[in-house]
Amino acid sequence: MEVEGALRIFNRSEVLNNLRYTQYLGDGDFKAYKAVLESKPYKDVNIEKLECVGHVEKRMGTRLRALKLKLKGKKLEDKKSLGGRNRLTDAEIDKLQRYYGLAIRNNSGNLSAMKQAIWAIFFHKISTDLNSQHGLCPLGDDSWCGYNRSKLKGDTYKHKHNLPIAIMHCIKKVFRDLSSPELLSRCLHDKTQNCNESLNSVIWSIIPKTVFVQLGTVKTGVYESISIYNQGLITKLKVLDLLNIQPGFYTCRALQEADHARIRKAEKAISRRTK
C-alpha cells in the first residue's frame, strides 16, 4: 500500500500541482523509495532519500536490545553478562536512545557537530573518576555534562551514571554504525514522519487495522479522520447540521472540551521544558 501510494503521489505531482518532488522522506524501508526511482516520474531529476529522524533514533534502542538478546548468558571481558543491575538495562537503553535522538535534533544542518555529539554520549558513559573522557562534551553553564559544569564551578564531580568499560567496548560498534556520515547526512534536515503517523493513528482509532470492513466503511472512516485531524472533533457538529440534526448542549460542550484537551496535550509535548 505504501509503495502504491508513493508512486501515485510522485507520478501525478506535475499534472495536478505543476511541481516536482526532489526529496523523499521515509523510514528505513527502501521499497517505496526504490519503486519511485524505478518509475522515473521526472526527467533529469535526482530524488534524494531523507531519513525520518524519529525512526533513526529508534535504531539505537533496536540495535542495543538485539545485541543484549544475542549475548544473553554470555560473559564479557569483565566476566559478567551484558545485562543485569548496573549494566545495560532496558532503562539504560531507553536513555541512550533518547540521548542519541537529541544529538541528531540539536545539531541539525551540521554533520560534524552531530557526529561529535553522538560520540560525546559514548565517552561520557565510559568515563570514570580515574579516567574522565569528557573532551567531546559541551562546555558552559547550560551543558548537559555534569563533569564540565562542575569543573567550571571548581566542584568535585563523582561519576555515578557511567557504564562498565566492558559494556562500552561491546556496544561501540553500534555507535560506530549509527554515527556514519552516510546515515547522518540523511538526517541533517531534522524532519520526521510524525504528521503522517498522527493521521494514521486517527484513522486506526476509527477503523482498527485488526477488523475487516467494506470499502464504503473505509472511505467514511478516512473522511471523518481527515476532518477531525484538520479541524478537531467539533466538525461532527457541522455534519449533524447538514443532516438537519440539532445537537444537544452537552454534546457540543463535550466535543469542545475534547478538542481543548488535545490542544493542551500537544502544546505541552512540544514545549521546551518537556523536551
Side-chain angles (χ1 to χ4, degrees):
M1 185 173 66
E2 292 183 7
V3 175
E4 182 63 26
L7 288 174
R8 292 188 183 186
I9 290 173
F10 276 84
N11 288 320
R12 71 189 182 190
S13 66
E14 286 186 296
V15 178
L16 294 182
N17 304 310
N18 194 28
L19 59 82
R20 296 178 176 179
Y21 298 113
T22 59
Q23 295 178 328
Y24 181 97
L25 175 61
D27 53 21
D29 186 4
F30 278 82
K31 292 181 180 178
Y33 175 64
K34 183 179 179 181
V36 169
L37 290 182
E38 293 176 349
S39 68
K40 299 180 180 179
Y42 320 121
K43 295 181 179 179
D44 303 325
V45 174
N46 182 31
I47 302 175
E48 180 185 4
K49 175 68 164 64
L50 302 180
E51 295 288 349
C52 169
V53 175
H55 283 83
V56 172
E57 176 184 344
K58 292 179 181 178
R59 293 184 188 181
M60 175 63 75
T62 301
R63 289 284 300 272
L64 292 178
R65 290 186 180 88
L67 180 63
K68 184 179 177 180
L69 182 62
K70 179 181 179 181
L71 298 180
K72 184 177 181 180
K74 297 182 179 180
K75 303 297 183 181
L76 303 183
E77 57 189 50
D78 60 353
K79 308 303 180 181
K80 296 181 180 180
S81 61
L82 183 61
R85 187 177 180 182
N86 298 325
R87 309 284 285 183
L88 191 65
T89 61
D90 290 339
E92 194 65 42
I93 291 176
D94 291 339
K95 288 182 182 179
L96 292 174
Q97 175 179 309
R98 185 166 63 254
Y99 298 157
Y100 175 70
L102 288 173
I104 295 176
R105 290 183 172 89
N106 293 339
N107 296 280
S108 59
N110 191 330
L111 180 60
S112 59
M114 189 181 294
K115 185 174 183 178
Q116 176 178 317
I118 294 173
W119 281 106
I121 301 170
F122 179 87
F123 287 107
H124 181 87
K125 299 296 292 186
I126 203 175
S127 296
T128 63
D129 293 336
L130 298 177
N131 184 21
S132 60
Q133 303 184 49
H134 299 279
L136 296 180
C137 296
L139 304 174
D141 294 332
D142 58 346
S143 172
W144 54 261
C145 178
Y147 176 86
N148 284 340
R149 291 199 310 270
S150 300
K151 186 178 179 180
L152 187 63
K153 297 177 182 178
D155 300 333
T156 302
Y157 181 79
K158 180 69 175 178
H159 290 80
K160 299 179 180 179
H161 306 290
N162 60 305
L163 288 173
I165 296 178
I167 291 180
M168 298 308 297
H169 287 170
C170 186
I171 67 176
K172 187 174 184 179
K173 186 178 185 304
V174 177
F175 274 83
R176 186 184 296 115
D177 293 343
L178 296 182
S179 63
S180 65
E182 293 79 12
L183 174 62
L184 298 182
S185 62
R186 299 196 295 269
C187 301
L188 296 175
H189 51 81
D190 191 26
K191 294 183 176 64
T192 69
Q193 293 178 274
N194 286 351
C195 54
N196 294 338
E197 298 296 344
S198 297
L199 177 58
N200 289 342
S201 66
V202 176
I203 296 175
W204 295 332
S205 66
I206 297 175
I207 313 173
K209 295 189 291 183
T210 56
V211 179
F212 176 80
V213 295
Q214 299 293 334
L215 179 60
T217 304
V218 173
K219 289 184 177 181
T220 303
V222 171
Y223 294 152
E224 183 180 2
S225 301
I226 293 174
S227 63
I228 293 174
Y229 182 79
N230 290 331
Q231 301 182 31
L233 291 169
I234 201 70
T235 55
K236 291 179 178 289
L237 300 180
K238 298 180 181 180
V239 175
L240 293 176
D241 182 61
L242 292 173
L243 295 173
N244 294 322
I245 300 175
Q246 183 62 37
F249 169 78
Y250 291 105
T251 299
C252 298
R253 191 173 74 173
L255 294 177
Q256 291 174 349
E257 290 180 352
D259 283 339
H260 292 160
R262 187 177 70 160
I263 293 174
R264 288 195 300 269
K265 182 179 179 180
E267 290 177 344
K268 181 180 179 181
I270 65 173
S271 65
R272 184 174 182 83
R273 181 178 180 181
T274 301
K275 290 182 178 180

